[in-house]
Amino acid sequence: MQDYYNKAESNLKKFWGFDAFRPGQDVVVKSVFDGNETLVLFPTGGGKSLCYQVPATVFEGMTLVISPLVALMQDQVQALKAKGVSATFINSTIPSYEVEQRLVNARNGMYKLLYCAPERLKTTLWEAELPKLNIDLVAIDEAHCVSEWGHDFRPSYREIRTSLESIADETRWIALTATATPEVQKDIVESLGFEKPNVISRGFSRPNLKWWVVKSEKKKQKLEESVKKGAEKGDGLIYGGTRKNCEHLAERFSRLGIKTEAYHAGVEPEKRKAIQQRWITGETPLVAATNAFGMGIDKPDCRYVIHEEMPYSLEAYYQEAGRAGRDGDESFPILLYRGSDYIKADERLDQSYPTLDELNHAYQILCDSFHLAVGSEMQESRSFDVEQIKKRGKLSYGKAMSSMRLLDQFGIIAMQQEVKPAVGIQFTLGSSGLKTFREKCNNDEKAEFTDKLERMFGSMAFHNIIQLDEDYVLDKLGLRRNTLVKALNVLMQNDQILVFEMHKERTLVKVLEARSRKLPFTKKEVESHRNNLFRKLEQMHGYVLTETCREVYLRNYFGDTSAKPCGHCDNCLRSESDKTSVPASEEIEMIYELLKQEQHSVEELCHLSELGKNKVVQAVQYLIKEEKATTNPSKPGFYVLI
């Protein structure tokens, strides 16, 4: 094991340029080398990926990484290749012949890491290739997707162990997540069949973050005040909800002298990259974004993150707000809240969640739009337009999109949003004809360009249109987009040796199983998922309403019951400043006795004890600090004895 670890430290320096692992990472890596079933609970930005990527470079065989995030797996593979680590991915967005080729390459030992979407494990191709693959480690990223209690449940995750049963006892296992409550952790362990898991947590304490909730009916005014104060500390980020609002906020704060840019799915991909880079370097000090912003973006010195609207879960809030202060310096996650926000969020969730009948209707319309007959299977992913589902199904935009997301989560379809621009080419000549064209071509530059295209797009481009990532093509050819389009137009219209397509960013969808007359799940399953979303929203609301330490509330929610009042969130500072409200020992005893009988909210404790609100809050804070009481995340705003 020590030899493995020494090699891991050497590779950490060689490929990533780091002299040593972060605290916690070293423990995880050693656990993996020891052959322990390992569950990793690290906060956002805690360096989870290195916990399996570095061991992957040490093992003789391959590491299989299960991930539900297609865009993220593509980015990680690209980053690994840039560092000199061999890696690839297979998912529903690449043609079946390319999947087959990559699996053959994997069988031949060409990759150290193979990223795979969970639904791929159920295909006949995967089942045929699995016995031939030398897999030394299975890494399950975003492991909270295993649990029906998680905020991003995916049923296909629950079948991972079954799909890999033939190698389960011969390989190492690691599961990783940034957001897992105790019930989710338990569900992960049971679903993955971990018998004696080594659970390694860096805890959910972020002592440099000053958690703050601003309750006001004048949110615009409070937002402006918060940004002006935040700008004095450094760069920041506003989660603005809708695309339209992000554009409005960018314009508004730029007029006030704080350069701000809007980031959302409607912005062109190249422009989005440029916005990210300007924010990371500090050229743009503030970004107003939808929740699409943040994945894979690392800016250590973000000093404040403001949520103008309340997120739908504490998991989402903790991840997004946690983008502040990754360098360890004082930073401010701020949530703006007005009284009607919870009611609006509850109504929005209710109105956008489909019934089983509506879900089935959306599925049938989707299959019709792809001209997919009952019993037929889709071979490749195709572009998808939500407007078709909306109009033909007579559904609202919100309900149509929710239907697609649910079908994706339940493993009925694979949906990839914001697919990067692509170039599609098919040669209209055969291989020998193309060779003759090059030989007779009087333009050496054109002949060389055609040769590069043939090598890049491969032999299958003589039979079908083959699509490749636009950035990849431009990089390999060393051309700008306009130059490439002009050159391809000449080859298509003048020389007539190929046809081509330029695809903008789009959403791709693939129906994963043969079309059926009815969806394979029950009304109870659909309603159970719906109820869980409402429960998550209620717990998020509880964070807003709590009158005691916000860090305690968050850490209790994620299972850290040892948390004590932080002393620097808005609630702690408010109670500290009110010196006259410090409760006497008999008042603390009175609150203790009331909680001994049953759990209560602050309002109930005020009524039962006839004490003022400040004294009740102080007493509850004292009991939390002394580890005698805690929040009850399953019943927001209530407190129980430990």
Side-chain angles (χ1 to χ4, degrees):
M1 192 278 287
Q2 190 58 45
D3 288 344
Y4 272 165
Y5 187 75
N6 291 341
K7 180 67 173 173
E9 285 190 313
S10 173
N11 286 355
L12 181 68
K13 177 70 175 176
K14 177 182 175 182
F15 296 116
W16 284 271
F18 299 135
D19 292 322
F21 288 109
R22 291 188 200 174
Q25 285 179 329
D26 53 347
V27 181
V28 174
V29 170
K30 287 175 181 176
S31 177
V32 169
F33 288 145
D34 278 337
N36 297 316
E37 294 168 327
T38 307
L39 174 59
V40 179
L41 308 170
F42 281 7
T44 301
K48 293 185 295 298
S49 299
L50 285 183
C51 293
Y52 60 81
Q53 288 177 346
V54 178
T57 66
V58 175
F59 292 131
E60 182 181 338
M62 186 178 69
T63 291
L64 173 67
V65 185
I66 311 295
S67 172
L69 305 171
V70 174
L72 191 56
M73 70 168 80
Q74 289 173 337
D75 289 344
Q76 289 199 349
V77 165
Q78 194 172 343
L80 285 166
K81 285 180 176 178
K83 290 176 169 59
V85 179
S86 57
T88 194
F89 63 86
I90 56 171
N91 56 45
S92 58
T93 67
I94 58 177
S96 54
Y97 66 83
E98 180 64 21
V99 172
E100 195 168 348
Q101 183 59 57
R102 293 184 187 187
L103 285 174
V104 169
N105 293 344
R107 183 204 309 164
N108 293 331
M110 290 180 61
Y111 310 119
K112 281 295 179 184
L113 295 104
L114 172 65
Y115 284 76
C116 177
E119 63 269 9
R120 300 302 308 184
L121 304 181
K122 295 187 288 182
T123 63
T124 52
L125 178 59
W126 172 264
E127 290 169 354
E129 288 293 329
L130 179 58
K132 307 168 191 173
L133 300 175
N134 182 17
I135 298 174
D136 279 336
L137 174 64
V138 176
I140 300 160
D141 207 2
E142 310 294 337
H144 53 267
C145 294
V146 165
S147 176
E148 63 181 319
W149 303 111
H151 66 292
D152 195 16
F153 172 50
R154 297 179 74 89
S156 55
Y157 255 64
R158 296 187 79 83
E159 299 176 37
I160 290 173
R161 184 78 183 204
T162 305
S163 300
L164 299 176
E165 198 60 48
S166 62
I167 64 163
D169 297 330
E170 301 165 12
T171 190
R172 295 170 173 83
W173 290 77
I174 181 173
L176 312 96
T177 179
T179 49
T181 62
E183 61 187 352
V184 170
Q185 292 173 38
K186 182 173 180 287
D187 212 5
I188 292 171
V189 168
E190 290 178 356
S191 178
L192 294 177
F194 287 4
E195 293 180 1
K196 295 180 180 178
N198 189 8
V199 181
I200 301 170
S201 173
R202 283 186 58 191
F204 292 89
S205 173
R206 296 284 303 277
N208 62 311
L209 298 187
K210 317 302 183 191
W211 301 95
W212 215 268
V213 174
V214 178
K215 298 175 185 175
S216 173
E217 295 303 307
K218 300 177 180 177
K219 281 174 76 171
K220 286 186 178 180
Q221 179 186 324
K222 292 299 180 183
L223 176 61
E224 194 169 306
E225 290 173 5
S226 298
V227 169
K228 284 179 178 177
K229 286 180 182 177
E232 294 173 5
K233 303 283 185 181
D235 298 348
L237 174 62
I238 302 173
Y239 281 102
T242 64
R243 298 181 186 187
K244 187 177 179 180
N245 193 42
C246 290
E247 295 284 354
H248 167 72
L249 292 174
E251 187 181 327
R252 176 179 163 194
F253 285 110
S254 292
R255 281 202 311 267
L256 291 173
I258 301 169
K259 183 183 175 183
T260 309
E261 295 191 77
Y263 181 106
H264 52 73
V267 178
E268 287 292 319
E270 285 303 312
K271 190 176 177 184
R272 282 210 305 270
K273 279 186 187 174
I275 292 170
Q276 287 177 18
Q277 196 55 35
R278 286 193 289 271
W279 186 66
I280 288 169
T281 60
E283 184 185 340
T284 297
L286 180 61
V287 167
T290 61
N291 58 13
F293 186 82
M295 188 184 293
I297 300 171
D298 187 17
K299 180 176 172 66
D301 60 343
C302 176
R303 294 278 73 91
Y304 63 100
V305 173
I306 300 174
H307 279 79
E308 196 187 21
E309 290 195 2
M310 183 177 69
Y312 286 85
S313 73
L314 277 169
E315 287 90 343
Y317 181 65
Y318 184 79
Q319 283 192 317
E320 291 164 4
R323 304 195 191 286
R326 290 189 177 183
D327 57 3
D329 289 349
E330 182 181 64
S331 303
F332 298 85
I334 300 166
L335 174 62
L336 303 179
Y337 177 82
R338 70 161 63 94
S340 59
D341 284 358
Y342 172 70
I343 296 168
K344 284 182 180 176
D346 186 82
E347 288 175 350
R348 201 177 299 136
L349 192 59
D350 184 48
Q351 290 166 6
S352 68
Y353 198 92
T355 64
L356 179 57
D357 286 342
E358 287 171 330
L359 199 57
N360 195 62
H361 189 40
Y363 166 73
Q364 301 301 340
I365 292 171
L366 179 70
C367 291
D368 287 344
S369 71
F370 292 145
H371 306 292
L372 193 65
V374 173
S376 300
E377 294 185 17
M378 277 183 77
Q379 297 303 311
E380 312 296 348
S381 297
R382 291 174 58 182
S383 293
F384 157 76
D385 184 5
V386 71
E387 289 298 321
Q388 289 189 40
I389 308 296
K390 178 184 167 186
K391 289 176 183 176
R392 293 176 63 184
K394 297 181 180 178
L395 300 171
S396 66
Y397 177 83
K399 196 163 280 192
M401 278 309 299
S402 289
S403 295
M404 291 303 102
R405 280 193 287 267
L406 269 177
L407 291 172
D408 183 45
Q409 278 187 278
F410 280 97
I412 303 299
I413 66 173
M415 180 171 69
Q416 186 188 0
Q417 294 177 278
E418 299 179 38
V419 177
K420 294 177 180 178
V423 182
I425 285 179
Q426 180 178 353
F427 297 110
T428 53
L429 301 177
S431 180
S432 58
L434 194 61
K435 184 181 178 184
T436 303
F437 169 80
R438 282 198 298 270
E439 290 170 350
K440 292 184 177 181
C441 181
N442 295 323
N443 185 326
D444 290 342
E445 198 173 327
K446 182 186 285 188
E448 184 184 352
F449 177 69
T450 308
D451 182 58
K452 284 182 179 178
L453 289 179
E454 183 181 357
R455 290 172 185 273
M456 194 180 305
F457 284 84
S459 60
M460 291 300 296
F462 290 105
H463 309 286
N464 302 290
I465 285 192
I466 303 303
Q467 293 184 17
L468 293 176
D469 182 84
E470 185 182 290
D471 286 344
Y472 170 78
V473 173
L474 295 175
D475 180 60
K476 287 291 183 184
L477 295 174
L479 298 175
R480 291 182 178 275
R481 188 179 190 276
N482 288 344
T483 308
L484 174 64
V485 172
K486 287 178 183 176
L488 292 176
N489 263 319
V490 169
L491 294 178
M492 181 172 74
Q493 294 175 5
N494 295 355
D495 302 310
Q496 297 182 349
I497 66 166
L498 57 76
V499 291
F500 79 97
E501 303 169 339
M502 301 296 291
H503 294 281
K504 292 184 176 181
E505 185 177 83
R506 62 226 185 272
T507 295
L508 290 179
V509 166
K510 182 180 180 183
V511 180
L512 295 175
E513 304 288 342
R515 178 178 179 176
S516 60
R517 296 186 186 279
K518 197 168 78 169
L519 289 171
F521 41 79
T522 64
K523 182 180 179 182
K524 184 179 178 182
E525 287 175 300
V526 175
E527 289 183 350
S528 174
H529 185 73
R530 177 185 184 277
N531 293 339
N532 190 40
L533 293 180
F534 278 99
R535 189 169 68 105
K536 296 284 181 189
L537 177 62
E538 184 71 15
Q539 289 159 338
M540 180 70 233
H541 193 217
Y543 170 81
V544 173
L545 297 180
T546 188
E547 311 221 29
T548 54
C549 176
R550 298 202 188 278
E551 185 170 320
V552 166
Y553 188 94
L554 283 168
R555 289 171 64 184
N556 281 180
Y557 178 77
F558 290 113
D560 184 357
T561 56
S562 65
K564 295 183 180 181
C566 65
H568 52 239
C569 70
D570 59 325
N571 282 343
C572 284
L573 290 175
R574 191 176 298 117
S575 57
E576 280 291 318
S577 65
D578 190 359
K579 299 298 181 184
T580 59
S581 67
V582 176
S585 57
E586 60 268 20
E587 293 168 342
I588 294 171
E589 187 65 32
M590 187 187 303
I591 299 302
Y592 180 84
E593 288 299 322
L594 287 170
L595 291 176
K596 200 173 180 180
Q597 296 167 26
E598 62 178 308
Q599 57 187 343
H600 288 293
S601 65
V602 167
E603 288 74 15
E604 289 175 354
L605 291 169
C606 289
H607 175 71
L608 294 168
S609 66
E610 298 183 349
L611 293 173
K613 192 173 186 179
N614 286 333
K615 287 191 175 182
V616 168
V617 170
Q618 282 282 338
V620 173
Q621 286 271 49
Y622 176 85
L623 292 172
I624 290 173
K625 189 175 181 180
E626 294 298 311
E627 298 183 25
K628 293 180 179 177
T630 184
T631 59
N632 181 5
S634 64
K635 195 172 181 183
F638 281 71
Y639 300 89
V640 294
L641 293 185
I642 295 174

